[in-house]
Amino acid sequence: MAGRIVVGVDGSEQSLKALRWAAAQAALTGDSLQAVIGWEYPASWATLMPGVPPEFDPEQLAKQILDESLEQALAPEVAATVTRTVVGGNAAQALVDQAAGASLLVVGDRGHSGFKAAVLGSVSTNVAQHAPCPVVVVRGE
């Protein structure tokens, strides 16, 4: 019985590599593919981005990034079969939540280490520790 592979996408080159890897794995296993992007307002939204027009919609921007990522990374016939999920909230938590019942969760590795990782956090580390299913972290070259 086919399952479901969840892949985190944020538009970065690392997430595109993870998306391509997940699509290839889904083709091998017959699993469906679900691409997930999470978005959230920064804690200091008003001070970090003064002058943001009131019609700015971060959820719409996330959807656009997801659509463009699928278009860039996958053949059109493959991209058309992917379930697209946009979640308001922390990216790591969104992936963990969406992975409930999945066969596999796939994420890219941005390669942050040391102080930068401590400050920014690591989605790959977080999902590896908390995911309800096996996790694959696709690394760079």
Side-chain angles (χ1 to χ4, degrees), residues 42-97:
S44 54
W45 174 258
T47 58
L48 286 177
M49 300 179 72
V52 173
E55 66 275 4
F56 176 72
D57 183 356
E59 183 173 7
Q60 184 58 37
L61 178 60
K63 181 183 181 313
Q64 179 182 341
I65 291 169
L66 184 58
D67 290 343
E68 289 173 359
S69 296
L70 289 168
E71 181 180 303
Q72 182 179 351
L74 304 176
E77 61 276 5
V78 175
T81 67
V82 177
T83 301
R84 300 163 194 226
T85 305
V86 179
V87 178
N90 175 272
Q93 188 61 53
L95 290 168
V96 168
D97 292 346

Side-chain angles (χ1 to χ4, degrees), residues 10 19-20 27-28 30 34 39 47-48 54 64-65 70 75 83-84 89 95 104 119 126 136:
D10 66 6
L19 179 57
R20 287 188 285 270
L28 288 173
Q34 177 185 4
W39 66 272
T47 58
L48 286 177
Q64 179 182 341
I65 291 169
L70 289 168
T83 301
R84 300 163 194 226
L95 290 168
L104 187 64
V119 171
N126 194 309
V136 170

Side-chain angles (χ1 to χ4, degrees), residues 114-129:
F115 180 74
K116 196 170 188 179
V119 171
L120 296 176
S122 170
V123 171
S124 59
T125 299
N126 194 309
V127 300
Q129 292 174 342

